Amino acid sequence: MAKHDPIERTTGRRGLNVVITGAAGGMCRGINQRLGKAGHTLLCVDLDLKRCQAAVDELRAEGFTAHAFAADVTRAEDVERLRGDVKEVVGEVQALINAAGVLDRKMLLDHDIHSFSRAIDINLVGPFALIRAFAEDLLAANWGRIVNVSSIAGTTGYPYPSYAASKAGLSNLTRSLLVDFWGTGITVNSVCPGVVDTPMVIQEVRDQVPNKVPTGKIVDPDEIGALITFLLTDDARSINGADLVIDGGATKIFRLFDHAQG
Ligand SMILES: NC(=O)c1ccc[n+]([C@@H]2O[C@H](COP(=O)([O-])OP(=O)(O)OC[C@H]3O[C@@H](n4cnc5c(N)ncnc54)[C@H](O)[C@@H]3O)[C@@H](O)[C@H]2O)c1
């Protein structure tokens, strides 16, 4: 069966070359695992090559096909080099998951223009750069999947403005690109997680989960992986430009009192 056969895309069982940024991070443990189990080839990209290679070694030990690449998504020369390296290793790319990101816990008066810009660069300009780099592959095939890992902090206000603004920008970048891919088989979506069980989340926030999240549970990275894996199938072809909120209902409820039954 041909590598990019539409039936394989429908089942999502195997065959796509998927670039994943932030691949050494906590959430990508779940994303990589699910994509690996679905039979995709994982092109794992991170600033931290050592941790990225360790993640790839683990994935390979489980029988998945994975490759590690170092790149700072904010550096044009890194992204250009990445594009060439990926081409050399697997050829064309069919899907891109932008998961690299930082949460800079600074409120207004702690920020200066440089710290604010850095967060925007990583969380918004980086995804743009990756999409720009691989868009021609997707357009040439007239099929593809782009998934941006945004946040519920991009759909509501949030105490850390560089994070909230960058993720809001990322979600709106997602919607805006629909015009560029009009009439093709390429979809672009944002996944907006709530509190996910990764090192990015501090204990104070974890402790709030039973009171703030209607399911009472922190989201597991595996759940994010499952959603993204579905988005890569042809069954998800009409999900386009969405902000897919996966937060246990946290952003859907306003509660005046702070106890579980309140
Ligand atoms: N953990 C959560 O609760 C949560 C909630 C909503 C959204 N998110 C988003 O999910 C994504 C993954 O978060 P996580 O929890 O796995 O965080 P993490 O810190 O564990 O992983 C982020 C990864 O991105 C990499 N990275 C940072 N800057 C980079 C750069 N310039 N170039 C390349 N790689 C870079 C880091 O090295 C790290 O491996 C982020 O975009 C984050 O904003 C996380």
Side-chain angles (χ1 to χ4, degrees):
M1 192 175 278
K3 202 172 183 190
H4 309 308
D5 185 287
I7 293 166
E8 291 194 349
R9 288 180 197 146
T10 303
T11 61
R13 260 185 276 132
R14 66 179 66 83
L16 303 181
N17 294 328
V18 187
V19 170
I20 307 147
T21 72
M27 196 177 297
C28 281
R29 280 189 79 83
I31 297 172
N32 295 338
Q33 281 283 331
R34 282 284 186 155
L35 292 174
K37 281 181 191 154
H40 300 308
T41 294
L42 312 174
L43 307 160
C44 296
V45 181
D46 206 283
L47 191 58
D48 185 334
L49 182 59
K50 206 170 155 199
R51 281 195 305 117
C52 191
Q53 188 60 58
V56 162
D57 290 346
E58 272 181 42
L59 290 162
R60 285 180 171 169
E62 290 180 69
F64 305 142
T65 308
H67 306 274
F69 302 88
D72 179 338
V73 298
T74 68
R75 289 170 59 94
E77 57 272 35
D78 281 21
V79 175
E80 197 46 44
R81 182 173 36 78
L82 173 70
R83 186 171 178 233
D85 290 350
V86 163
K87 203 171 192 66
E88 214 174 289
V89 176
V90 295
E92 311 304 314
V93 162
Q94 287 86 39
L96 167 64
I97 317 298
N98 278 308
V102 287
L103 168 54
D104 191 353
R105 290 186 180 80
K106 288 190 178 72
M107 295 179 73
L108 177 65
L109 298 182
D110 301 318
H111 262 304
D112 59 28
I113 199 168
H114 303 292
S115 59
F116 193 89
S117 298
R118 181 71 186 145
I120 301 286
D121 275 351
I122 297 170
N123 295 348
L124 176 57
V125 181
F128 160 77
L130 269 286
I131 294 167
R132 178 67 191 87
F134 291 103
E136 277 141 9
D137 275 14
L138 307 187
L139 284 165
N142 207 38
W143 193 94
R145 294 286 182 265
I146 299 170
V147 182
N148 295 319
V149 181
S150 184
S151 168
I152 56 171
T155 68
T156 69
Y158 193 61
Y160 309 123
S162 64
Y163 192 71
S166 63
K167 294 298 188 177
L170 183 57
S171 288
N172 214 24
L173 173 69
T174 300
R175 289 186 276 275
S176 303
L177 295 178
L178 301 188
V179 180
D180 294 88
F181 299 121
W182 198 283
T184 71
I186 301 164
T187 65
V188 197
N189 289 289
S190 292
V191 167
C192 299
V195 185
V196 186
D197 190 5
T198 80
M200 187 182 264
V201 178
I202 58 174
Q203 193 56 45
E204 198 183 331
V205 172
R206 290 167 186 271
D207 293 344
Q208 294 285 327
V209 165
N211 275 323
K212 304 280 185 191
V213 181
T215 55
K217 290 189 179 70
I218 195 163
V219 179
D220 193 283
D222 179 64
E223 298 174 63
I224 310 293
L227 177 59
I228 290 177
T229 302
F230 175 67
L231 288 174
L232 266 49
T233 68
D234 207 44
D235 286 342
R237 63 192 172 276
S238 298
I239 304 176
N240 199 15
D243 268 331
L244 294 159
V245 173
I246 176 163
D247 69 346
T251 48
K252 298 295 182 290
I253 191 103
F254 169 73
R255 292 168 64 250
L256 206 47
F257 302 107
D258 214 21
H259 50 85
Q261 306 305 320

